[in-house]
Amino acid sequence: NAGVTQTPKFQVLKTGQSMTLQCAQDMNHNSMYWYRQDPGMGLRLIYYSASEGTTDKGEVPNGYNVSRLNKREFSLRLESAAPSQTSVYFCASSEVFTGQGRTGELFFGEGSRLTVL
Amino acid sequence: GNSVTQMEGPVTLSEEAFLTINCTYTATGYPSLFWYVQYPGEGLQLLLKATKADDKGSNKGFEATYRKETTSFHLEKGSVQVSDSAVYFCALRQGAQKLVFGQGTRLTINP
């Protein structure tokens, strides 16, 4: 029962370096999300993908790009990392909301802790 | 727009104490309401949910009742354990729209 798998779990970057966070889900969910979690800030949505082939900006998209590679995979890329992007990143997926017992609850990965020096 | 307001933490209790974490929301219509829990070093996981007014969600001894008249979904547990120490998030979803989270409440239970 893998659920949502994120890699890497930990990463240290220098300012200006680039990297990609990978996310894969095995629940056949249509929707996928990337959040960041900072102390005292709760969760903030970076980008989401309502379905394969579509992506949309969330609350804090600046400095990030995403790719919905296929139905299973949704990656987050930092092109030029900045110290302000030091955070814990969570990928999540959800089933489609139908209003008939399917409420579209989110399933989360374990998180990727990123430090930018 | 839709929003969720949780009581500010951190909350510290002794084992076997009664727990209440307040959550109120602003939304039109009848959103679905959720409580998520985040244990140390882990991602969020769904604790319980309610989809219509007067529904009671329950799991692991936790309960929350969807109160339309007070726009609230307070989380309660009659006797907390050290293992309940975690961050708790209230959230709502309005139809097919994105999930909206509260700020989270950190709970620490002392033995």
Side-chain angles (χ1 to χ4, degrees), chain A residues 34-58:
Chain A
W34 276 106
Y35 289 88
R36 61 178 288 173
Q37 185 178 35
D38 303 299
M41 297 291 291
L43 288 163
R44 292 186 291 172
L45 183 64
I46 305 171
Y47 270 94
Y48 67 102
S49 171
S51 61
E52 186 178 355
T54 69
T55 61
D56 287 286
K57 296 178 180 179

PDB file of all heavy atoms in Angstrom, chain A residues 34-58:
ATOM      1  N   TRP A  34       0.726  20.028  -4.960  1.00  0.00           N
ATOM      2  CA  TRP A  34       1.960  20.297  -4.229  1.00  0.00           C
ATOM      3  C   TRP A  34       1.705  21.417  -3.219  1.00  0.00           C
ATOM      4  O   TRP A  34       1.201  22.489  -3.574  1.00  0.00           O
ATOM      5  CB  TRP A  34       3.098  20.720  -5.159  1.00  0.00           C
ATOM      6  CG  TRP A  34       3.810  19.564  -5.776  1.00  0.00           C
ATOM      7  CD1 TRP A  34       3.723  19.123  -7.063  1.00  0.00           C
ATOM      8  CD2 TRP A  34       4.755  18.700  -5.134  1.00  0.00           C
ATOM      9  NE1 TRP A  34       4.537  18.036  -7.259  1.00  0.00           N
ATOM     10  CE2 TRP A  34       5.188  17.755  -6.080  1.00  0.00           C
ATOM     11  CE3 TRP A  34       5.287  18.643  -3.833  1.00  0.00           C
ATOM     12  CZ2 TRP A  34       6.113  16.758  -5.796  1.00  0.00           C
ATOM     13  CZ3 TRP A  34       6.207  17.653  -3.537  1.00  0.00           C
ATOM     14  CH2 TRP A  34       6.611  16.723  -4.518  1.00  0.00           C
ATOM     15  N   TYR A  35       2.051  21.135  -1.958  1.00  0.00           N
ATOM     16  CA  TYR A  35       1.942  22.110  -0.873  1.00  0.00           C
ATOM     17  C   TYR A  35       3.324  22.343  -0.280  1.00  0.00           C
ATOM     18  O   TYR A  35       4.192  21.488  -0.323  1.00  0.00           O
ATOM     19  CB  TYR A  35       1.058  21.582   0.257  1.00  0.00           C
ATOM     20  CG  TYR A  35      -0.413  21.501  -0.039  1.00  0.00           C
ATOM     21  CD1 TYR A  35      -0.953  20.353  -0.629  1.00  0.00           C
ATOM     22  CD2 TYR A  35      -1.271  22.541   0.289  1.00  0.00           C
ATOM     23  CE1 TYR A  35      -2.320  20.264  -0.880  1.00  0.00           C
ATOM     24  CE2 TYR A  35      -2.632  22.456   0.035  1.00  0.00           C
ATOM     25  CZ  TYR A  35      -3.139  21.321  -0.553  1.00  0.00           C
ATOM     26  OH  TYR A  35      -4.484  21.236  -0.800  1.00  0.00           O
ATOM     27  N   ARG A  36       3.480  23.496   0.336  1.00  0.00           N
ATOM     28  CA  ARG A  36       4.621  23.715   1.214  1.00  0.00           C
ATOM     29  C   ARG A  36       4.117  24.029   2.611  1.00  0.00           C
ATOM     30  O   ARG A  36       3.043  24.618   2.788  1.00  0.00           O
ATOM     31  CB  ARG A  36       5.536  24.821   0.687  1.00  0.00           C
ATOM     32  CG  ARG A  36       4.944  26.188   0.553  1.00  0.00           C
ATOM     33  CD  ARG A  36       5.987  27.197   0.071  1.00  0.00           C
ATOM     34  NE  ARG A  36       6.962  27.514   1.114  1.00  0.00           N
ATOM     35  CZ  ARG A  36       8.044  28.262   0.922  1.00  0.00           C
ATOM     36  NH1 ARG A  36       8.298  28.776  -0.284  1.00  0.00           N
ATOM     37  NH2 ARG A  36       8.870  28.505   1.921  1.00  0.00           N
ATOM     38  N   GLN A  37       4.902  23.589   3.582  1.00  0.00           N
ATOM     39  CA  GLN A  37       4.540  23.806   4.985  1.00  0.00           C
ATOM     40  C   GLN A  37       5.680  24.490   5.691  1.00  0.00           C
ATOM     41  O   GLN A  37       6.776  23.952   5.790  1.00  0.00           O
ATOM     42  CB  GLN A  37       4.202  22.477   5.677  1.00  0.00           C
ATOM     43  CG  GLN A  37       3.712  22.666   7.107  1.00  0.00           C
ATOM     44  CD  GLN A  37       3.347  21.357   7.763  1.00  0.00           C
ATOM     45  OE1 GLN A  37       3.962  20.330   7.522  1.00  0.00           O
ATOM     46  NE2 GLN A  37       2.314  21.387   8.594  1.00  0.00           N
ATOM     47  N   ASP A  38       5.425  25.673   6.190  1.00  0.00           N
ATOM     48  CA  ASP A  38       6.405  26.448   6.941  1.00  0.00           C
ATOM     49  C   ASP A  38       5.911  26.617   8.359  1.00  0.00           C
ATOM     50  O   ASP A  38       4.698  26.660   8.601  1.00  0.00           O
ATOM     51  CB  ASP A  38       6.602  27.815   6.284  1.00  0.00           C
ATOM     52  CG  ASP A  38       7.031  27.684   4.835  1.00  0.00           C
ATOM     53  OD1 ASP A  38       8.099  27.105   4.612  1.00  0.00           O
ATOM     54  OD2 ASP A  38       6.292  28.153   3.943  1.00  0.00           O
ATOM     55  N   PRO A  39       6.817  26.752   9.322  1.00  0.00           N
ATOM     56  CA  PRO A  39       6.408  26.904  10.726  1.00  0.00           C
ATOM     57  C   PRO A  39       5.428  28.052  10.904  1.00  0.00           C
ATOM     58  O   PRO A  39       5.683  29.175  10.455  1.00  0.00           O
ATOM     59  CB  PRO A  39       7.732  27.185  11.440  1.00  0.00           C
ATOM     60  CG  PRO A  39       8.766  26.553  10.571  1.00  0.00           C
ATOM     61  CD  PRO A  39       8.276  26.736   9.158  1.00  0.00           C
ATOM     62  N   GLY A  40       4.303  27.762  11.544  1.00  0.00           N
ATOM     63  CA  GLY A  40       3.316  28.799  11.822  1.00  0.00           C
ATOM     64  C   GLY A  40       2.504  29.245  10.626  1.00  0.00           C
ATOM     65  O   GLY A  40       1.678  30.149  10.747  1.00  0.00           O
ATOM     66  N   MET A  41       2.719  28.625   9.465  1.00  0.00           N
ATOM     67  CA  MET A  41       2.027  29.067   8.245  1.00  0.00           C
ATOM     68  C   MET A  41       1.029  28.047   7.747  1.00  0.00           C
ATOM     69  O   MET A  41       0.357  28.268   6.751  1.00  0.00           O
ATOM     70  CB  MET A  41       3.051  29.348   7.140  1.00  0.00           C
ATOM     71  CG  MET A  41       3.995  30.471   7.461  1.00  0.00           C
ATOM     72  SD  MET A  41       3.162  32.070   7.489  1.00  0.00           S
ATOM     73  CE  MET A  41       2.787  32.277   5.766  1.00  0.00           C
ATOM     74  N   GLY A  42       0.948  26.918   8.388  1.00  0.00           N
ATOM     75  CA  GLY A  42       0.041  25.905   7.882  1.00  0.00           C
ATOM     76  C   GLY A  42       0.498  25.399   6.532  1.00  0.00           C
ATOM     77  O   GLY A  42       1.689  25.407   6.203  1.00  0.00           O
ATOM     78  N   LEU A  43      -0.433  24.975   5.722  1.00  0.00           N
ATOM     79  CA  LEU A  43      -0.149  24.453   4.388  1.00  0.00           C
ATOM     80  C   LEU A  43      -0.541  25.492   3.348  1.00  0.00           C
ATOM     81  O   LEU A  43      -1.628  26.067   3.422  1.00  0.00           O
ATOM     82  CB  LEU A  43      -0.962  23.188   4.128  1.00  0.00           C
ATOM     83  CG  LEU A  43      -0.523  21.942   4.877  1.00  0.00           C
ATOM     84  CD1 LEU A  43      -1.631  20.920   4.864  1.00  0.00           C
ATOM     85  CD2 LEU A  43       0.731  21.368   4.265  1.00  0.00           C
ATOM     86  N   ARG A  44       0.325  25.685   2.394  1.00  0.00           N
ATOM     87  CA  ARG A  44       0.014  26.599   1.295  1.00  0.00           C
ATOM     88  C   ARG A  44       0.156  25.865  -0.026  1.00  0.00           C
ATOM     89  O   ARG A  44       1.165  25.205  -0.279  1.00  0.00           O
ATOM     90  CB  ARG A  44       0.939  27.819   1.349  1.00  0.00           C
ATOM     91  CG  ARG A  44       0.683  28.723   2.542  1.00  0.00           C
ATOM     92  CD  ARG A  44       1.516  29.985   2.488  1.00  0.00           C
ATOM     93  NE  ARG A  44       2.932  29.720   2.685  1.00  0.00           N
ATOM     94  CZ  ARG A  44       3.896  30.626   2.537  1.00  0.00           C
ATOM     95  NH1 ARG A  44       3.573  31.859   2.179  1.00  0.00           N
ATOM     96  NH2 ARG A  44       5.154  30.310   2.745  1.00  0.00           N
ATOM     97  N   LEU A  45      -0.853  26.009  -0.864  1.00  0.00           N
ATOM     98  CA  LEU A  45      -0.883  25.303  -2.143  1.00  0.00           C
ATOM     99  C   LEU A  45       0.013  26.007  -3.143  1.00  0.00           C
ATOM    100  O   LEU A  45      -0.124  27.199  -3.388  1.00  0.00           O
ATOM    101  CB  LEU A  45      -2.327  25.240  -2.650  1.00  0.00           C
ATOM    102  CG  LEU A  45      -2.565  24.489  -3.943  1.00  0.00           C
ATOM    103  CD1 LEU A  45      -2.227  23.013  -3.782  1.00  0.00           C
ATOM    104  CD2 LEU A  45      -4.018  24.652  -4.373  1.00  0.00           C
ATOM    105  N   ILE A  46       0.906  25.241  -3.764  1.00  0.00           N
ATOM    106  CA  ILE A  46       1.826  25.805  -4.756  1.00  0.00           C
ATOM    107  C   ILE A  46       1.226  25.668  -6.147  1.00  0.00           C
ATOM    108  O   ILE A  46       1.040  26.657  -6.861  1.00  0.00           O
ATOM    109  CB  ILE A  46       3.189  25.090  -4.699  1.00  0.00           C
ATOM    110  CG1 ILE A  46       3.765  25.135  -3.288  1.00  0.00           C
ATOM    111  CG2 ILE A  46       4.169  25.732  -5.686  1.00  0.00           C
ATOM    112  CD1 ILE A  46       5.009  24.265  -3.117  1.00  0.00           C
ATOM    113  N   TYR A  47       0.962  24.440  -6.541  1.00  0.00           N
ATOM    114  CA  TYR A  47       0.359  24.123  -7.830  1.00  0.00           C
ATOM    115  C   TYR A  47      -0.528  22.908  -7.640  1.00  0.00           C
ATOM    116  O   TYR A  47      -0.340  22.118  -6.719  1.00  0.00           O
ATOM    117  CB  TYR A  47       1.435  23.770  -8.879  1.00  0.00           C
ATOM    118  CG  TYR A  47       1.966  24.913  -9.689  1.00  0.00           C
ATOM    119  CD1 TYR A  47       3.128  25.578  -9.293  1.00  0.00           C
ATOM    120  CD2 TYR A  47       1.337  25.320 -10.855  1.00  0.00           C
ATOM    121  CE1 TYR A  47       3.652  26.618 -10.050  1.00  0.00           C
ATOM    122  CE2 TYR A  47       1.850  26.366 -11.622  1.00  0.00           C
ATOM    123  CZ  TYR A  47       3.006  27.005 -11.212  1.00  0.00           C
ATOM    124  OH  TYR A  47       3.522  28.042 -11.961  1.00  0.00           O
ATOM    125  N   TYR A  48      -1.466  22.742  -8.551  1.00  0.00           N
ATOM    126  CA  TYR A  48      -2.252  21.532  -8.554  1.00  0.00           C
ATOM    127  C   TYR A  48      -2.569  21.129  -9.989  1.00  0.00           C
ATOM    128  O   TYR A  48      -2.435  21.926 -10.920  1.00  0.00           O
ATOM    129  CB  TYR A  48      -3.536  21.684  -7.723  1.00  0.00           C
ATOM    130  CG  TYR A  48      -4.542  22.646  -8.285  1.00  0.00           C
ATOM    131  CD1 TYR A  48      -5.667  22.203  -8.969  1.00  0.00           C
ATOM    132  CD2 TYR A  48      -4.390  24.020  -8.100  1.00  0.00           C
ATOM    133  CE1 TYR A  48      -6.596  23.090  -9.474  1.00  0.00           C
ATOM    134  CE2 TYR A  48      -5.318  24.912  -8.599  1.00  0.00           C
ATOM    135  CZ  TYR A  48      -6.424  24.450  -9.274  1.00  0.00           C
ATOM    136  OH  TYR A  48      -7.338  25.326  -9.772  1.00  0.00           O
ATOM    137  N   SER A  49      -2.983  19.875 -10.113  1.00  0.00           N
ATOM    138  CA  SER A  49      -3.351  19.328 -11.412  1.00  0.00           C
ATOM    139  C   SER A  49      -4.674  18.598 -11.229  1.00  0.00           C
ATOM    140  O   SER A  49      -4.735  17.567 -10.570  1.00  0.00           O
ATOM    141  CB  SER A  49      -2.273  18.362 -11.891  1.00  0.00           C
ATOM    142  OG  SER A  49      -2.701  17.670 -13.041  1.00  0.00           O
ATOM    143  N   ALA A  50      -5.718  19.158 -11.785  1.00  0.00           N
ATOM    144  CA  ALA A  50      -7.045  18.575 -11.605  1.00  0.00           C
ATOM    145  C   ALA A  50      -7.173  17.249 -12.352  1.00  0.00           C
ATOM    146  O   ALA A  50      -7.929  16.364 -11.938  1.00  0.00           O
ATOM    147  CB  ALA A  50      -8.118  19.545 -12.072  1.00  0.00           C
ATOM    148  N   SER A  51      -6.447  17.128 -13.434  1.00  0.00           N
ATOM    149  CA  SER A  51      -6.477  15.885 -14.201  1.00  0.00           C
ATOM    150  C   SER A  51      -5.234  15.824 -15.071  1.00  0.00           C
ATOM    151  O   SER A  51      -4.524  16.828 -15.238  1.00  0.00           O
ATOM    152  CB  SER A  51      -7.734  15.812 -15.068  1.00  0.00           C
ATOM    153  OG  SER A  51      -7.754  16.879 -15.991  1.00  0.00           O
ATOM    154  N   GLU A  52      -4.967  14.669 -15.611  1.00  0.00           N
ATOM    155  CA  GLU A  52      -3.800  14.489 -16.477  1.00  0.00           C
ATOM    156  C   GLU A  52      -3.854  15.500 -17.617  1.00  0.00           C
ATOM    157  O   GLU A  52      -4.891  15.679 -18.252  1.00  0.00           O
ATOM    158  CB  GLU A  52      -3.798  13.068 -17.027  1.00  0.00           C
ATOM    159  CG  GLU A  52      -2.569  12.716 -17.812  1.00  0.00           C
ATOM    160  CD  GLU A  52      -2.613  11.273 -18.302  1.00  0.00           C
ATOM    161  OE1 GLU A  52      -3.561  10.553 -17.947  1.00  0.00           O
ATOM    162  OE2 GLU A  52      -1.687  10.878 -19.029  1.00  0.00           O
ATOM    163  N   GLY A  53      -2.743  16.204 -17.825  1.00  0.00           N
ATOM    164  CA  GLY A  53      -2.670  17.168 -18.906  1.00  0.00           C
ATOM    165  C   GLY A  53      -3.013  18.581 -18.516  1.00  0.00           C
ATOM    166  O   GLY A  53      -2.901  19.492 -19.337  1.00  0.00           O
ATOM    167  N   THR A  54      -3.419  18.803 -17.270  1.00  0.00           N
ATOM    168  CA  THR A  54      -3.742  20.159 -16.819  1.00  0.00           C
ATOM    169  C   THR A  54      -2.981  20.490 -15.548  1.00  0.00           C
ATOM    170  O   THR A  54      -2.767  19.629 -14.692  1.00  0.00           O
ATOM    171  CB  THR A  54      -5.238  20.330 -16.523  1.00  0.00           C
ATOM    172  OG1 THR A  54      -5.584  19.562 -15.366  1.00  0.00           O
ATOM    173  CG2 THR A  54      -6.091  19.869 -17.691  1.00  0.00           C
ATOM    174  N   THR A  55      -2.551  21.744 -15.427  1.00  0.00           N
ATOM    175  CA  THR A  55      -1.943  22.247 -14.198  1.00  0.00           C
ATOM    176  C   THR A  55      -2.414  23.665 -13.971  1.00  0.00           C
ATOM    177  O   THR A  55      -2.691  24.395 -14.933  1.00  0.00           O
ATOM    178  CB  THR A  55      -0.404  22.231 -14.256  1.00  0.00           C
ATOM    179  OG1 THR A  55       0.042  23.066 -15.324  1.00  0.00           O
ATOM    180  CG2 THR A  55       0.134  20.818 -14.451  1.00  0.00           C
ATOM    181  N   ASP A  56      -2.509  24.050 -12.703  1.00  0.00           N
ATOM    182  CA  ASP A  56      -2.951  25.394 -12.352  1.00  0.00           C
ATOM    183  C   ASP A  56      -2.192  25.906 -11.145  1.00  0.00           C
ATOM    184  O   ASP A  56      -1.752  25.114 -10.298  1.00  0.00           O
ATOM    185  CB  ASP A  56      -4.456  25.404 -12.025  1.00  0.00           C
ATOM    186  CG  ASP A  56      -5.299  25.258 -13.256  1.00  0.00           C
ATOM    187  OD1 ASP A  56      -5.386  26.244 -14.015  1.00  0.00           O
ATOM    188  OD2 ASP A  56      -5.860  24.171 -13.457  1.00  0.00           O
ATOM    189  N   LYS A  57      -2.060  27.227 -11.074  1.00  0.00           N
ATOM    190  CA  LYS A  57      -1.360  27.845  -9.958  1.00  0.00           C
ATOM    191  C   LYS A  57      -2.216  27.820  -8.708  1.00  0.00           C
ATOM    192  O   LYS A  57      -3.444  27.951  -8.767  1.00  0.00           O
ATOM    193  CB  LYS A  57      -1.005  29.295 -10.305  1.00  0.00           C
ATOM    194  CG  LYS A  57      -0.029  29.425 -11.453  1.00  0.00           C
ATOM    195  CD  LYS A  57       0.235  30.890 -11.763  1.00  0.00           C
ATOM    196  CE  LYS A  57       1.236  31.004 -12.925  1.00  0.00           C
ATOM    197  NZ  LYS A  57       1.501  32.428 -13.260  1.00  0.00           N
ATOM    198  N   GLY A  58      -1.527  27.683  -7.571  1.00  0.00           N
ATOM    199  CA  GLY A  58      -2.171  27.798  -6.277  1.00  0.00           C
ATOM    200  C   GLY A  58      -1.876  29.152  -5.669  1.00  0.00           C
ATOM    201  O   GLY A  58      -1.749  30.151  -6.367  1.00  0.00           O
TER     202      GLY A  58
END
